[in-house]
Amino acid sequence: MATAAKTQADERYVYRFGGGVSDGGSGDKNLLGGKGANLAEMASIGLPVPPGFTISTAMCTRYYEEGETFPESVRGEVAAGIVHIEGITGKKFGDASDPLLVSVRSGARVSMPGMMDTVLNLGLNDETVEGLASASGDERFAWDSYRRFIQMYSDVVLGLDHGAFEEALEVAKEDKGFTLDTELSAADLKALVAEFKSLVEEQQGAPFPQDVHDQLWGAVGAVFGSWQSDRAKVYRRLNDIPGSWGTAVNVQAMVFGNMGDTSATGVAFTRDPSTGHNAYYGEFLINAQGEDVVAGIRTPQYLTKAAREDAGAKPLSMEEALPEAYTELAAVFDRLERHYRDMQDIEFTVQQGKLWMLQTRSGKRTAKAALKIAVDMAAEGLITRDEAILRVDPQALDQLLHPTLDPSAARDVLTKGLPASPGAASGAAVFDADTAEKWAADGKAVILLRTETSPEDIHGMHAAKGILTARGGMTSHAAVVARGMGRPCVSGAGALSIDNKAKTARVGGREVKEGDLLTIDGATGEVMAGEVATIQPELAGDFGTLMVWADEVRRLKVRANAETPLDCRTARDFGAEGVGLCRTEHMFFEADRITAVRQMILAEDEAGRRAALEKLLPEQRSDFQAIFEVMAGLPVTVRLLDPPLHEFLPHEEAEFAEVATAAGVDVDTLKRRAGELHEFNPMLGHRGCRLGVTYPEIYEVQARAIFEAALDVAEKSGEAPIPEIMIPLVATKRELELMKAVVDRTAKAVFDERGKTVEYLVGTMIELPRAALRAGEIAEAGEFFSFGTNDLTQTTLGVSRDDAGRFLGSYVEQGIYAKDPFVSIDVEGVGELIRLAAERGRATRPDIKLGICGEHGGDPASIAFCESVGLDYVSASPYRVPIARLAAAQAALKARG
Ligand code: PEP
Ligand code: MG
C-alpha cells in the first residue's frame, strides 16, 4: 500500500508544449488525450501552437479514485506549467497590467464532440480586465472577454442557471435596440459584467471568484467532472468508450479571434468530410471566439472562394478576406496531412493577422468519404492499400448500404438546408429528444427537429431516423454527431422557424406539426413534406475498389444467413460466397404451408404425420430449388427444423376456431394438443435435433426435399449447389449419428431413384456447452461445425436471449460485460468454448469445416476473434456481408502484424 502511494506521488501528471518544448507527442494519446498529444506533436514540428500544458488522463483516474481531490504534487506541476506559459508569452497569470489568460479544455483519447466542458478567457477578474484593456488597447474587447468568461464559468464550473445570463444579455441588447452582441459598447459590457456578477452572487450566495488560481482549479475540476456527466456517459455507451479511460485537461495560452476584423476563428477539414472530395473544407467567423463556430449560433462563412461561389453565398471567404493567413493555413493543412497521412480536422484562430493552430485530429467522416479518402490516398501514394483497408470502419459501411431517395419520385420540397450528413430518411416530425426516444421505442420512425442541437439531445438524435436543424453549419454539433452516428442530417435550414412550446415549425407559410410526415435528404439538404420513395445504393466505385482489395487479403470466407431467394440474391450481390444458415422453419410459416405444418403437429401417429409431410414436400422442394438456383456452385448450409412445434400453433383464443377448421380437427382437439405441447422453458425444451430424434420422418422429408431440389438444379443449370445439411442443438455424438443416418439413408434413396448424385455434407451446429466440450467425438459423426453463437451465448451465460434486454444494459454500464454478449462475442467465456471445440474437432478430423452463423458473424470484433481461431467462414445477414468482408480483411491484416 505504502509503495503504491509512493509511486503515485512520484508519478508525473503535467506535460508541456510550445516554445520549442514538447514533453509528449502524437503517440501519447492514451495519456494526454487526442487533443493534448496532437498539440504536443504540432508544436514539435514547428507549427504555431499557443504554449500550454496537458494534465494527463492518469490524473483524471486518480482524481476519481481519491474522492475528487487533487494531490499536492500536481499543484506544484501545474504551477510549473503556468511558469512555462508565462516564460514564452511574457505575460503573467493574474498580472494586473498585462495578464496571461488561458483556456481550459477537455481531451479524451478519442474525440467526444461537445460532450465535455471547456472554459475560455480564464484569468480575468476585476483587476486584470483593466490590464487586458490597456495592454490590448481595446477596452471593448477586454470587457467582452470578461463577460464571456463569467458566463461560461458560471455555467460550466459553478453550475448556475445559464438561462438567466443569456436573458440578461438579450435584455441589454434589446434596451439599446441592438440585434448583435458585437453592437454592445465597452460601457454596455461593463454594465453587463456587473449584472452577471450580481447574478452569480444571487444564485450561489458567494461572489464570482477573483483569485485566478482558484479559477484555474475550479475549471480543471469541472473538466474532469464532465467526464462523468450524463451526456458523456450516453456518448460513451453509444460509442463503446470505456469509462476507465478518463479525460485529460489542456491548459493553454489564449489567443483571440475576437480582436477585430483581422482576427477570426475557424474549423476546417483537409478534405470534404461528407463526400471525401480532395479540397479544403471549412468554416470561419471574423471577429469571433472558437465556440461561436462549433456552437452553431452564428452561421459561419466559407473557407475557400470556390466553396463560397458554389454555394452562391455573399460574405467573403477566408481566402478572400484574410488572404495571407489563408495561404499560411493552406500550407499547414498540406503539412499536417503529409505528417499524419490522414485527413485532418483542424481548429485555428487568427489573432490580428497571425495564425495559431489550436487542434488537429483525424477527421470524422461519413462512410462515403472514408472510402473515397482511403482509396484516393492509396492512389496518391500517401498510404498503402493495406492501410486503406484498415482505414475504413466496417460498421460505417452500413450507411452506404441503405437506400437513398428515388430521383424520379415526386418531392414536395419545403425548404433547403445544408447537406450535413448523407442518406435519406422519412419519419414523423418531433421537436424534442425525449419524444424522439419515446416514439422510436414504440417502433415509429421519427425526424428530430431542433433550432440547433446540443449535447443534451444526443439520445434523441440516436433514436431518430434523421435530424433537421434550423441553425448551425456543416461543423455544428448536429452535423458532427449525426455524421458520426450515420444518421442523415440537414442543418442550418434557415427558413425554418421552430416553436418548441407549440411543437410546430413554420416554413414558407406552411406548418409542420408534431407527427406530420417529413423526409430529409442529407445529400442535398432538401426537406420535404410527406414520405418520398427510396432506391437501393450504388455498390460500384470506391466501395467496389476497396472490396476488391479487401477480398485479396482476407482468409475467412463470408457467407450469408438467408432463407428466401430475394435474400440470397441480395447476399450474392453483396459478395456472399454461399449460405451459412438457411433456417427452414421460416419456410414452414408461409401462409400456404402452415396448415399442412399444423396437420403434421396435430397428427396422432407417424402415418398421420407422414401424410401431412407429403403435402409439404413439393413446397419445400421448390423453396430449395429457388435458393439453389441463386447459389448455384456455392455451398448452402440448410438447417433442419429447430423450433419447438408449439410455435406453429395458435396462441390467441380468437384464432383457434379458424385454425381448427383449416386443419380439419375440432377446437377441443386443437386446444388439447396445444396444451400438451406447452413448455415451461421452450428454448431448452423439445426443439432442435430432439424433434428429429422423436419424429425422424420430419428430418427425412426435409432431407428428401433438399436432395431432390439439388438434383433438379444440377440438371437444369449444369451447376450443382453443395448442400451442407446441418443438425441443430446437438449435445451428444449419438444424436448426430442418428440424424446423419436419417439423412444419408434419404440421400441414398433419392440418388437411387434418380440415378444421379450430388456432393453433400452432414454436420452440426455447436450451440450447447456440452457439444463444444465433446467436439472431439462429435467430429467423428459430423463433417462440419457451425457455431450457433446465439444459442451458445445464452446456454453458456445462462442468459435468455429473449429476456436479456431487461438487464443487460446495466450489466454493460457497470462493466460486467464490456459489450452486449449477444452482439459481440464474449471472447473469454463463449470464445474459449469455441476455441476448444475447434481444436478438439480438428484433432479428430483435421479437415473439418468450421464456421459461425450466430448474429456475431456480422460483428467486426467477433470476426477478428473468428480469424484468431482459424475458422473457415463467417455467416452474416445479407446487409452485413460487405461489413464482414472488410472486417475479415482487417482481421487478416492485423493477424499478420
Ligand atoms: C444460433 O443459435 O446462433 C443460431 C444461428 O440459431 P438461431 O438463432 O436460429 O437459434
Ligand atoms: Mg440456435
mmCIF file of all heavy atoms in Angstrom, residues 27-28 32 102 112 191 208 222 229 243 265 323 328 428 482 533 684 699 707 725:
data_model
loop_
_atom_site.group_PDB
_atom_site.id
_atom_site.type_symbol
_atom_site.label_atom_id
_atom_site.label_comp_id
_atom_site.label_asym_id
_atom_site.label_seq_id
_atom_site.Cartn_x
_atom_site.Cartn_y
_atom_site.Cartn_z
ATOM 1 N N GLY A 27 2.041 9.942 -30.213
ATOM 2 C CA GLY A 27 1.937 8.564 -29.727
ATOM 3 C C GLY A 27 1.391 8.480 -28.308
ATOM 4 O O GLY A 27 1.162 7.383 -27.785
ATOM 5 N N ASP A 28 1.170 9.610 -27.677
ATOM 6 C CA ASP A 28 0.782 9.592 -26.252
ATOM 7 C C ASP A 28 -0.714 9.832 -26.023
ATOM 8 O O ASP A 28 -1.095 10.381 -24.989
ATOM 9 C CB ASP A 28 1.579 10.672 -25.491
ATOM 10 C CG ASP A 28 3.068 10.419 -25.546
ATOM 11 O OD1 ASP A 28 3.469 9.255 -25.356
ATOM 12 O OD2 ASP A 28 3.831 11.374 -25.799
ATOM 13 N N LEU A 32 -2.302 11.558 -22.807
ATOM 14 C CA LEU A 32 -2.527 13.007 -22.951
ATOM 15 C C LEU A 32 -3.856 13.326 -23.631
ATOM 16 O O LEU A 32 -4.196 14.501 -23.795
ATOM 17 C CB LEU A 32 -1.392 13.638 -23.761
ATOM 18 C CG LEU A 32 0.016 13.435 -23.198
ATOM 19 C CD1 LEU A 32 1.041 14.172 -24.041
ATOM 20 C CD2 LEU A 32 0.093 13.928 -21.752
ATOM 21 N N VAL A 102 -5.857 31.988 -20.019
ATOM 22 C CA VAL A 102 -5.727 30.616 -20.538
ATOM 23 C C VAL A 102 -7.098 30.029 -20.869
ATOM 24 O O VAL A 102 -8.125 30.477 -20.367
ATOM 25 C CB VAL A 102 -5.007 29.689 -19.522
ATOM 26 C CG1 VAL A 102 -3.570 30.125 -19.293
ATOM 27 C CG2 VAL A 102 -5.777 29.595 -18.210
ATOM 28 N N MET A 112 -14.830 13.310 -28.356
ATOM 29 C CA MET A 112 -16.236 13.170 -27.960
ATOM 30 C C MET A 112 -16.865 14.544 -28.178
ATOM 31 O O MET A 112 -17.066 15.293 -27.221
ATOM 32 C CB MET A 112 -16.327 12.762 -26.486
ATOM 33 C CG MET A 112 -15.726 11.382 -26.239
ATOM 34 S SD MET A 112 -15.582 10.925 -24.489
ATOM 35 C CE MET A 112 -17.209 11.187 -23.850
ATOM 36 N N ALA A 191 -21.408 47.244 -17.786
ATOM 37 C CA ALA A 191 -22.656 47.174 -17.016
ATOM 38 C C ALA A 191 -23.158 45.727 -16.959
ATOM 39 O O ALA A 191 -23.644 45.247 -15.927
ATOM 40 C CB ALA A 191 -23.707 48.078 -17.649
ATOM 41 N N PHE A 208 -18.339 36.091 -7.445
ATOM 42 C CA PHE A 208 -17.601 35.408 -8.501
ATOM 43 C C PHE A 208 -16.127 35.332 -8.091
ATOM 44 O O PHE A 208 -15.565 36.332 -7.655
ATOM 45 C CB PHE A 208 -17.749 36.179 -9.819
ATOM 46 C CG PHE A 208 -17.127 35.452 -10.976
ATOM 47 C CD1 PHE A 208 -17.806 34.405 -11.580
ATOM 48 C CD2 PHE A 208 -15.856 35.783 -11.431
ATOM 49 C CE1 PHE A 208 -17.237 33.709 -12.635
ATOM 50 C CE2 PHE A 208 -15.281 35.088 -12.481
ATOM 51 C CZ PHE A 208 -15.975 34.045 -13.083
ATOM 52 N N ALA A 222 -13.851 20.973 -12.979
ATOM 53 C CA ALA A 222 -15.098 20.883 -13.758
ATOM 54 C C ALA A 222 -14.879 20.050 -15.013
ATOM 55 O O ALA A 222 -15.742 19.265 -15.406
ATOM 56 C CB ALA A 222 -15.585 22.276 -14.134
ATOM 57 N N SER A 229 -20.414 13.277 -16.709
ATOM 58 C CA SER A 229 -21.731 13.875 -16.934
ATOM 59 C C SER A 229 -22.619 12.874 -17.669
ATOM 60 O O SER A 229 -22.116 11.955 -18.315
ATOM 61 C CB SER A 229 -21.590 15.147 -17.776
ATOM 62 O OG SER A 229 -21.155 14.791 -19.074
ATOM 63 N N GLY A 243 -15.392 3.841 -19.542
ATOM 64 C CA GLY A 243 -15.369 4.925 -18.552
ATOM 65 C C GLY A 243 -14.009 5.034 -17.881
ATOM 66 O O GLY A 243 -13.636 6.088 -17.362
ATOM 67 N N THR A 265 -11.767 33.049 -36.290
ATOM 68 C CA THR A 265 -11.591 31.705 -35.762
ATOM 69 C C THR A 265 -12.333 30.749 -36.666
ATOM 70 O O THR A 265 -13.327 31.128 -37.288
ATOM 71 C CB THR A 265 -12.077 31.637 -34.305
ATOM 72 O OG1 THR A 265 -11.730 30.377 -33.780
ATOM 73 C CG2 THR A 265 -13.572 31.820 -34.192
ATOM 74 N N PRO A 323 -6.312 36.916 -47.001
ATOM 75 C CA PRO A 323 -5.540 36.082 -47.937
ATOM 76 C C PRO A 323 -4.215 35.577 -47.377
ATOM 77 O O PRO A 323 -3.839 34.437 -47.612
ATOM 78 C CB PRO A 323 -5.323 36.990 -49.147
ATOM 79 C CG PRO A 323 -5.696 38.355 -48.722
ATOM 80 C CD PRO A 323 -6.606 38.248 -47.546
ATOM 81 N N GLU A 328 -1.098 30.776 -45.424
ATOM 82 C CA GLU A 328 -0.317 30.080 -44.398
ATOM 83 C C GLU A 328 -1.089 28.844 -43.902
ATOM 84 O O GLU A 328 -0.524 27.766 -43.725
ATOM 85 C CB GLU A 328 -0.060 31.056 -43.246
ATOM 86 C CG GLU A 328 1.072 30.615 -42.350
ATOM 87 C CD GLU A 328 1.201 31.508 -41.111
ATOM 88 O OE1 GLU A 328 0.686 32.650 -41.129
ATOM 89 O OE2 GLU A 328 1.820 31.049 -40.137
ATOM 90 N N ALA A 428 -41.967 10.790 -38.684
ATOM 91 C CA ALA A 428 -42.858 11.777 -38.092
ATOM 92 C C ALA A 428 -42.022 12.866 -37.426
ATOM 93 O O ALA A 428 -41.027 12.572 -36.757
ATOM 94 C CB ALA A 428 -43.735 11.090 -37.060
ATOM 95 N N ALA A 482 -24.269 13.683 -36.049
ATOM 96 C CA ALA A 482 -25.067 12.884 -36.991
ATOM 97 C C ALA A 482 -24.152 12.097 -37.925
ATOM 98 O O ALA A 482 -24.397 10.920 -38.177
ATOM 99 C CB ALA A 482 -25.997 13.792 -37.790
ATOM 100 N N ALA A 533 -40.231 8.039 -51.947
ATOM 101 C CA ALA A 533 -39.732 6.691 -52.240
ATOM 102 C C ALA A 533 -38.203 6.658 -52.287
ATOM 103 O O ALA A 533 -37.553 7.660 -52.601
ATOM 104 C CB ALA A 533 -40.289 6.222 -53.577
ATOM 105 N N LEU A 684 -35.110 -24.564 -23.967
ATOM 106 C CA LEU A 684 -34.376 -25.764 -23.528
ATOM 107 C C LEU A 684 -35.278 -26.992 -23.637
ATOM 108 O O LEU A 684 -35.059 -28.004 -22.978
ATOM 109 C CB LEU A 684 -33.913 -25.593 -22.074
ATOM 110 C CG LEU A 684 -32.993 -24.410 -21.800
ATOM 111 C CD1 LEU A 684 -32.676 -24.306 -20.309
ATOM 112 C CD2 LEU A 684 -31.691 -24.553 -22.595
ATOM 113 N N TYR A 699 -37.288 -34.833 -40.405
ATOM 114 C CA TYR A 699 -35.965 -34.596 -40.996
ATOM 115 C C TYR A 699 -35.815 -35.363 -42.313
ATOM 116 O O TYR A 699 -35.170 -34.887 -43.256
ATOM 117 C CB TYR A 699 -34.855 -34.992 -40.016
ATOM 118 C CG TYR A 699 -34.586 -33.936 -38.947
ATOM 119 C CD1 TYR A 699 -35.478 -32.879 -38.725
ATOM 120 C CD2 TYR A 699 -33.437 -33.994 -38.165
ATOM 121 C CE1 TYR A 699 -35.225 -31.919 -37.760
ATOM 122 C CE2 TYR A 699 -33.176 -33.035 -37.188
ATOM 123 C CZ TYR A 699 -34.076 -32.003 -36.987
ATOM 124 O OH TYR A 699 -33.834 -31.049 -36.026
ATOM 125 N N PHE A 707 -32.349 -32.872 -51.354
ATOM 126 C CA PHE A 707 -31.636 -33.647 -52.389
ATOM 127 C C PHE A 707 -32.345 -33.578 -53.734
ATOM 128 O O PHE A 707 -31.707 -33.448 -54.782
ATOM 129 C CB PHE A 707 -31.451 -35.100 -51.940
ATOM 130 C CG PHE A 707 -30.482 -35.218 -50.776
ATOM 131 C CD1 PHE A 707 -30.846 -35.830 -49.587
ATOM 132 C CD2 PHE A 707 -29.206 -34.679 -50.874
ATOM 133 C CE1 PHE A 707 -29.969 -35.915 -48.522
ATOM 134 C CE2 PHE A 707 -28.301 -34.760 -49.805
ATOM 135 C CZ PHE A 707 -28.696 -35.380 -48.631
ATOM 136 N N ILE A 725 -25.981 -30.194 -44.902
ATOM 137 C CA ILE A 725 -27.183 -30.375 -44.073
ATOM 138 C C ILE A 725 -26.772 -30.334 -42.602
ATOM 139 O O ILE A 725 -25.865 -31.033 -42.170
ATOM 140 C CB ILE A 725 -27.886 -31.683 -44.461
ATOM 141 C CG1 ILE A 725 -28.346 -31.525 -45.914
ATOM 142 C CG2 ILE A 725 -29.061 -31.963 -43.521
ATOM 143 C CD1 ILE A 725 -28.987 -32.734 -46.511
#
